[in-house]
mmCIF file of all heavy atoms in Angstrom:
data_model
loop_
_atom_site.group_PDB
_atom_site.id
_atom_site.type_symbol
_atom_site.label_atom_id
_atom_site.label_comp_id
_atom_site.label_asym_id
_atom_site.label_seq_id
_atom_site.Cartn_x
_atom_site.Cartn_y
_atom_site.Cartn_z
ATOM 1 N N ARG P 1 5.905 6.147 -6.322
ATOM 2 C CA ARG P 1 6.263 6.713 -7.600
ATOM 3 C C ARG P 1 7.067 8.036 -7.290
ATOM 4 O O ARG P 1 6.688 8.921 -6.555
ATOM 5 C CB ARG P 1 5.031 7.137 -8.403
ATOM 6 C CG ARG P 1 4.205 5.864 -8.817
ATOM 7 C CD ARG P 1 2.920 6.350 -9.563
ATOM 8 N NE ARG P 1 2.091 5.278 -9.931
ATOM 9 C CZ ARG P 1 0.895 5.393 -10.541
ATOM 10 N NH1 ARG P 1 0.525 6.540 -10.911
ATOM 11 N NH2 ARG P 1 0.236 4.311 -10.815
ATOM 12 N N SER P 2 8.214 8.144 -7.961
ATOM 13 C CA SER P 2 9.105 9.239 -7.834
ATOM 14 C C SER P 2 9.781 9.584 -9.075
ATOM 15 O O SER P 2 10.074 8.668 -9.903
ATOM 16 C CB SER P 2 10.105 9.057 -6.610
ATOM 17 O OG SER P 2 10.921 7.975 -6.960
ATOM 18 N N ASP P 3 10.110 10.843 -9.297
ATOM 19 C CA ASP P 3 10.894 11.264 -10.503
ATOM 20 C C ASP P 3 12.261 11.474 -10.065
ATOM 21 O O ASP P 3 12.559 12.479 -9.315
ATOM 22 C CB ASP P 3 10.214 12.541 -11.068
ATOM 23 C CG ASP P 3 10.797 12.863 -12.435
ATOM 24 O OD1 ASP P 3 11.819 12.195 -12.808
ATOM 25 O OD2 ASP P 3 10.315 13.807 -13.064
ATOM 26 N N ALA P 4 13.222 10.713 -10.607
ATOM 27 C CA ALA P 4 14.633 10.819 -10.192
ATOM 28 C C ALA P 4 15.219 12.198 -10.556
ATOM 29 O O ALA P 4 16.091 12.631 -9.963
ATOM 30 C CB ALA P 4 15.462 9.675 -10.773
ATOM 31 N N SER P 5 14.740 12.740 -11.720
ATOM 32 C CA SER P 5 15.250 14.040 -12.173
ATOM 33 C C SER P 5 14.625 15.239 -11.423
ATOM 34 O O SER P 5 14.956 16.380 -11.610
ATOM 35 C CB SER P 5 14.981 14.147 -13.663
ATOM 36 O OG SER P 5 13.581 14.117 -13.889
ATOM 37 N N SER P 6 13.796 14.938 -10.569
ATOM 38 C CA SER P 6 13.059 16.032 -9.850
ATOM 39 C C SER P 6 13.373 16.055 -8.383
ATOM 40 O O SER P 6 13.724 15.057 -7.814
ATOM 41 C CB SER P 6 11.544 15.876 -10.007
ATOM 42 O OG SER P 6 10.826 16.851 -9.229
ATOM 43 N N ASN P 7 13.295 17.188 -7.791
ATOM 44 C CA ASN P 7 13.615 17.352 -6.425
ATOM 45 C C ASN P 7 12.337 17.157 -5.571
ATOM 46 O O ASN P 7 12.369 17.429 -4.365
ATOM 47 C CB ASN P 7 14.253 18.667 -6.067
ATOM 48 C CG ASN P 7 15.683 18.796 -6.684
ATOM 49 O OD1 ASN P 7 16.368 17.819 -6.860
ATOM 50 N ND2 ASN P 7 16.036 19.985 -7.128
ATOM 51 N N GLU P 8 11.250 16.839 -6.181
ATOM 52 C CA GLU P 8 9.983 16.731 -5.446
ATOM 53 C C GLU P 8 10.008 15.453 -4.580
ATOM 54 O O GLU P 8 10.750 14.532 -4.847
ATOM 55 C CB GLU P 8 8.849 16.683 -6.411
ATOM 56 C CG GLU P 8 8.657 17.941 -7.231
ATOM 57 C CD GLU P 8 7.436 17.784 -8.197
ATOM 58 O OE1 GLU P 8 6.820 16.678 -8.141
ATOM 59 O OE2 GLU P 8 7.142 18.732 -8.869
ATOM 60 N N LYS P 9 9.233 15.565 -3.504
ATOM 61 C CA LYS P 9 9.147 14.386 -2.645
ATOM 62 C C LYS P 9 8.409 13.199 -3.420
ATOM 63 O O LYS P 9 7.591 13.437 -4.306
ATOM 64 C CB LYS P 9 8.339 14.683 -1.407
ATOM 65 C CG LYS P 9 9.022 15.709 -0.525
ATOM 66 C CD LYS P 9 8.219 15.991 0.684
ATOM 67 C CE LYS P 9 8.872 16.961 1.651
ATOM 68 N NZ LYS P 9 8.120 17.181 2.913
ATOM 69 N N PRO P 10 8.780 11.916 -3.091
ATOM 70 C CA PRO P 10 8.161 10.844 -3.702
ATOM 71 C C PRO P 10 6.654 10.878 -3.490
ATOM 72 O O PRO P 10 6.162 11.268 -2.378
ATOM 73 C CB PRO P 10 8.832 9.649 -3.023
ATOM 74 C CG PRO P 10 10.062 10.141 -2.475
ATOM 75 C CD PRO P 10 9.805 11.560 -2.130
ATOM 76 N N ARG P 11 5.833 10.394 -4.478
ATOM 77 C CA ARG P 11 4.480 10.241 -4.300
ATOM 78 C C ARG P 11 4.077 8.846 -4.000
ATOM 79 O O ARG P 11 4.551 7.910 -4.621
ATOM 80 C CB ARG P 11 3.707 10.749 -5.597
ATOM 81 C CG ARG P 11 3.938 12.233 -5.872
ATOM 82 C CD ARG P 11 3.214 12.627 -7.128
ATOM 83 N NE ARG P 11 3.733 11.846 -8.319
ATOM 84 C CZ ARG P 11 3.149 11.752 -9.489
ATOM 85 N NH1 ARG P 11 1.971 12.285 -9.683
ATOM 86 N NH2 ARG P 11 3.701 11.086 -10.418
ATOM 87 N N PHE P 12 3.186 8.684 -3.076
ATOM 88 C CA PHE P 12 2.777 7.324 -2.650
ATOM 89 C C PHE P 12 1.342 7.148 -3.148
ATOM 90 O O PHE P 12 0.462 7.917 -2.878
ATOM 91 C CB PHE P 12 2.748 7.208 -1.112
ATOM 92 C CG PHE P 12 4.169 7.354 -0.541
ATOM 93 C CD1 PHE P 12 4.670 8.607 -0.222
ATOM 94 C CD2 PHE P 12 4.961 6.240 -0.314
ATOM 95 C CE1 PHE P 12 5.977 8.693 0.296
ATOM 96 C CE2 PHE P 12 6.231 6.304 0.238
ATOM 97 C CZ PHE P 12 6.726 7.556 0.445
ATOM 98 N N ASP P 13 1.117 6.081 -3.902
ATOM 99 C CA ASP P 13 -0.194 5.759 -4.373
ATOM 100 C C ASP P 13 -0.506 4.322 -3.795
ATOM 101 O O ASP P 13 0.329 3.497 -3.598
ATOM 102 C CB ASP P 13 -0.232 5.692 -5.908
ATOM 103 C CG ASP P 13 -0.075 7.095 -6.515
ATOM 104 O OD1 ASP P 13 -0.490 7.962 -5.812
ATOM 105 O OD2 ASP P 13 0.441 7.166 -7.660
ATOM 106 N N ILE P 14 -1.876 4.084 -3.594
ATOM 107 C CA ILE P 14 -2.298 2.794 -3.143
ATOM 108 C C ILE P 14 -2.965 2.098 -4.261
ATOM 109 O O ILE P 14 -3.910 2.648 -4.933
ATOM 110 C CB ILE P 14 -3.204 2.985 -1.936
ATOM 111 C CG1 ILE P 14 -2.535 3.654 -0.772
ATOM 112 C CG2 ILE P 14 -3.824 1.634 -1.441
ATOM 113 C CD1 ILE P 14 -3.402 3.935 0.371
ATOM 114 N N ALA P 15 -2.552 0.867 -4.488
ATOM 115 C CA ALA P 15 -3.212 0.086 -5.654
ATOM 116 C C ALA P 15 -4.690 -0.122 -5.345
ATOM 117 O O ALA P 15 -5.103 -0.251 -4.163
ATOM 118 C CB ALA P 15 -2.547 -1.271 -5.764
ATOM 119 N N ARG P 16 -5.488 -0.075 -6.360
ATOM 120 C CA ARG P 16 -6.949 -0.249 -6.133
ATOM 121 C C ARG P 16 -7.294 -1.706 -5.811
ATOM 122 O O ARG P 16 -8.373 -1.846 -5.205
ATOM 123 C CB ARG P 16 -7.635 0.201 -7.418
ATOM 124 C CG ARG P 16 -7.435 1.688 -7.772
ATOM 125 C CD ARG P 16 -8.207 2.089 -8.974
ATOM 126 N NE ARG P 16 -8.038 3.543 -9.273
ATOM 127 C CZ ARG P 16 -8.555 4.122 -10.323
ATOM 128 N NH1 ARG P 16 -9.272 3.363 -11.192
ATOM 129 N NH2 ARG P 16 -8.411 5.385 -10.484
ATOM 130 N N ASP P 17 -6.495 -2.684 -6.290
ATOM 131 C CA ASP P 17 -6.954 -4.060 -6.026
ATOM 132 C C ASP P 17 -6.776 -4.403 -4.513
ATOM 133 O O ASP P 17 -5.795 -4.097 -3.903
ATOM 134 C CB ASP P 17 -6.218 -4.975 -6.912
ATOM 135 C CG ASP P 17 -4.626 -4.896 -6.677
ATOM 136 O OD1 ASP P 17 -4.261 -3.709 -6.563
ATOM 137 O OD2 ASP P 17 -4.046 -5.867 -6.499
ATOM 138 N N ILE P 18 -7.855 -4.958 -3.942
ATOM 139 C CA ILE P 18 -7.820 -5.353 -2.501
ATOM 140 C C ILE P 18 -7.997 -6.813 -2.453
ATOM 141 O O ILE P 18 -8.949 -7.374 -3.022
ATOM 142 C CB ILE P 18 -8.953 -4.576 -1.730
ATOM 143 C CG1 ILE P 18 -8.786 -3.041 -1.818
ATOM 144 C CG2 ILE P 18 -8.968 -5.075 -0.309
ATOM 145 C CD1 ILE P 18 -9.873 -2.291 -1.145
ATOM 146 N N LYS P 19 -7.133 -7.431 -1.761
ATOM 147 C CA LYS P 19 -7.157 -8.919 -1.589
ATOM 148 C C LYS P 19 -7.655 -9.161 -0.095
ATOM 149 O O LYS P 19 -7.040 -8.682 0.805
ATOM 150 C CB LYS P 19 -5.787 -9.537 -1.779
ATOM 151 C CG LYS P 19 -5.263 -9.437 -3.221
ATOM 152 C CD LYS P 19 -3.987 -10.206 -3.291
ATOM 153 C CE LYS P 19 -3.478 -10.059 -4.815
ATOM 154 N NZ LYS P 19 -2.131 -10.711 -4.950
ATOM 155 N N SER P 20 -8.730 -9.892 -0.084
ATOM 156 C CA SER P 20 -9.291 -10.212 1.255
ATOM 157 C C SER P 20 -9.268 -11.722 1.525
ATOM 158 O O SER P 20 -9.697 -12.462 0.614
ATOM 159 C CB SER P 20 -10.832 -9.696 1.233
ATOM 160 O OG SER P 20 -11.356 -9.991 2.539
ATOM 161 N N THR P 21 -8.801 -12.056 2.674
ATOM 162 C CA THR P 21 -8.737 -13.401 3.093
ATOM 163 C C THR P 21 -9.316 -13.589 4.531
ATOM 164 O O THR P 21 -9.360 -12.611 5.267
ATOM 165 C CB THR P 21 -7.272 -13.946 3.075
ATOM 166 O OG1 THR P 21 -6.581 -13.191 3.990
ATOM 167 C CG2 THR P 21 -6.651 -13.867 1.728
ATOM 168 N N VAL P 22 -9.947 -14.721 4.750
ATOM 169 C CA VAL P 22 -10.457 -15.020 6.038
ATOM 170 C C VAL P 22 -9.677 -16.172 6.641
ATOM 171 O O VAL P 22 -9.642 -17.272 6.058
ATOM 172 C CB VAL P 22 -11.947 -15.424 5.975
ATOM 173 C CG1 VAL P 22 -12.590 -15.820 7.367
ATOM 174 C CG2 VAL P 22 -12.731 -14.264 5.399
ATOM 175 N N SER P 23 -9.162 -15.988 7.872
ATOM 176 C CA SER P 23 -8.341 -17.008 8.483
ATOM 177 C C SER P 23 -8.833 -17.250 9.898
ATOM 178 O O SER P 23 -9.378 -16.394 10.620
ATOM 179 C CB SER P 23 -6.894 -16.615 8.512
ATOM 180 O OG SER P 23 -6.413 -16.297 7.316
ATOM 181 N N PRO P 24 -8.702 -18.523 10.455
ATOM 182 C CA PRO P 24 -9.068 -18.754 11.761
ATOM 183 C C PRO P 24 -8.007 -18.191 12.795
ATOM 184 O O PRO P 24 -6.909 -18.068 12.441
ATOM 185 C CB PRO P 24 -9.086 -20.265 11.864
ATOM 186 C CG PRO P 24 -8.140 -20.775 10.841
ATOM 187 C CD PRO P 24 -8.200 -19.687 9.713
ATOM 188 N N PHE P 25 -8.414 -17.909 13.995
ATOM 189 C CA PHE P 25 -7.548 -17.505 15.033
ATOM 190 C C PHE P 25 -7.857 -18.074 16.331
ATOM 191 O O PHE P 25 -9.032 -18.429 16.642
ATOM 192 C CB PHE P 25 -7.538 -15.941 15.170
ATOM 193 C CG PHE P 25 -8.695 -15.344 15.742
ATOM 194 C CD1 PHE P 25 -8.867 -15.188 17.124
ATOM 195 C CD2 PHE P 25 -9.765 -14.936 14.884
ATOM 196 C CE1 PHE P 25 -10.114 -14.697 17.670
ATOM 197 C CE2 PHE P 25 -10.882 -14.401 15.470
ATOM 198 C CZ PHE P 25 -11.056 -14.241 16.814
ATOM 199 N N LEU P 26 -6.921 -18.276 17.153
ATOM 200 C CA LEU P 26 -7.134 -18.714 18.560
ATOM 201 C C LEU P 26 -6.926 -17.643 19.618
ATOM 202 O O LEU P 26 -7.451 -17.807 20.734
ATOM 203 C CB LEU P 26 -6.132 -19.913 18.870
ATOM 204 C CG LEU P 26 -6.443 -21.292 18.152
ATOM 205 C CD1 LEU P 26 -5.422 -22.328 18.517
ATOM 206 C CD2 LEU P 26 -7.842 -21.786 18.506
ATOM 207 N N PHE P 27 -6.207 -16.612 19.220
ATOM 208 C CA PHE P 27 -6.094 -15.422 20.138
ATOM 209 C C PHE P 27 -5.854 -14.178 19.246
ATOM 210 O O PHE P 27 -5.281 -14.342 18.125
ATOM 211 C CB PHE P 27 -5.224 -15.558 21.304
ATOM 212 C CG PHE P 27 -3.712 -15.954 20.867
ATOM 213 C CD1 PHE P 27 -2.834 -15.078 20.368
ATOM 214 C CD2 PHE P 27 -3.364 -17.265 21.001
ATOM 215 C CE1 PHE P 27 -1.562 -15.390 20.033
ATOM 216 C CE2 PHE P 27 -2.110 -17.641 20.638
ATOM 217 C CZ PHE P 27 -1.153 -16.671 20.228
ATOM 218 N N LEU P 28 -6.256 -13.042 19.764
ATOM 219 C CA LEU P 28 -6.032 -11.696 19.118
ATOM 220 C C LEU P 28 -4.846 -11.052 19.667
ATOM 221 O O LEU P 28 -4.777 -10.871 20.938
ATOM 222 C CB LEU P 28 -7.292 -10.825 19.173
ATOM 223 C CG LEU P 28 -8.586 -11.427 18.527
ATOM 224 C CD1 LEU P 28 -9.637 -10.477 18.863
ATOM 225 C CD2 LEU P 28 -8.412 -11.607 17.026
#
């Protein structure tokens, strides 16, 4: 989020929704 009319640095927000998935693996 940033205000184009402002000289302030952009603000970074993290969305609250978290998507979790489980996947198989053969190596890390």
Side-chain angles (χ1 to χ4, degrees):
R1 297 180 182 178
S2 62
D3 187 355
S5 62
S6 173
N7 294 328
E8 297 180 359
K9 294 182 179 180
R11 293 181 299 164
F12 296 87
D13 293 333
I14 300 177
R16 294 181 179 179
D17 58 317
I18 300 176
K19 295 181 180 180
S20 180
T21 59
V22 177
S23 303
F25 70 86
L26 290 178
F27 53 82
L28 298 174

